[in-house]
Amino acid sequence: MARPSWDEYFAKIAEDVSRRSTCTRKDRQFGAIIVNDSHEIVSTGYNGVVRGAAHCEDVGCIKDEMNIPSGTGHEVCPAVHAEQNALIQAGRLAKGCTLYLNAFPCKICARLIVNSGVKKVVTSGEYTDREGLEIMKAAGVEVKHVNV
């Protein structure tokens, strides 16, 4: 058995974190972790509604009810994205860290990632909106994809 690289190791953990998501849409359970240069996990996050609100798995998905395609309608969906939750938990500790995500970040999350000071983003999945990748690359954030 080959020992996984750090990127593969943390990408797998991000995938496990995604299992806490309460999103009911197929293949839209996302997990994120922020890791510092010492390979210590600073924070984790997964997508789901704000604290105290009813979960979509309990009340249904408003985007499904309104036939809103994936990658759009962020203003309608009551969920906070996995990257957003991880960045909130990390605060200023995110600066200089690596963020692992089992998807591509949307353009809104990409802007938050850039402004947080995260230096590298490692993805292990895909997302319908690829514009976030371009935003991060243009800002000098290193972007890497790994298969896990």
Side-chain angles (χ1 to χ4, degrees):
M1 184 168 96
R3 188 174 189 206
S5 70
W6 284 114
D7 286 344
E8 293 166 333
Y9 173 73
F10 289 120
K12 283 284 219 186
I13 294 173
E15 183 66 34
D16 284 344
V17 170
S18 77
R19 295 173 53 203
R20 289 282 307 153
S21 170
T22 58
C23 182
T24 59
R25 286 191 148 192
K26 184 178 187 300
D27 300 325
R28 293 296 173 245
Q29 293 73 43
F30 300 122
I33 64 171
I34 295 176
V35 178
N36 65 22
D37 286 339
S38 299
H39 300 115
E40 299 165 328
I41 296 174
V42 174
S43 67
T44 67
Y46 53 88
N47 57 320
V49 297
V50 297
R51 289 185 178 149
H55 294 287
C56 298
E57 63 187 8
D58 297 327
V59 297
C61 174
I62 191 162
K63 286 177 69 173
D64 281 347
E65 292 169 12
M66 298 174 73
N67 285 327
I68 298 173
S70 179
T72 65
H74 297 300
E75 71 282 359
V76 174
C77 180
V80 177
H81 292 189
E83 309 94 309
Q84 294 168 347
N85 277 321
L87 289 168
I88 290 166
Q89 296 301 320
R92 293 190 179 271
L93 295 176
K95 187 174 184 177
C97 288
T98 299
L99 186 145
Y100 293 84
L101 179 66
N102 67 325
F104 302 148
C106 73
K107 57 184 147 281
I108 296 167
C109 289
R111 293 179 191 128
L112 295 173
I113 290 166
V114 168
N115 277 4
S116 74
V118 164
K119 68 177 183 181
K120 179 179 176 183
V121 173
V122 178
T123 64
S124 60
E126 295 189 10
Y127 186 61
T128 51
D129 179 1
R130 299 179 67 93
E131 191 176 340
L133 295 172
E134 299 309 317
I135 291 169
M136 292 185 303
K137 288 176 185 176
V141 175
E142 180 185 349
V143 177
K144 180 179 179 183
H145 185 81
V146 295
N147 293 316
V148 292

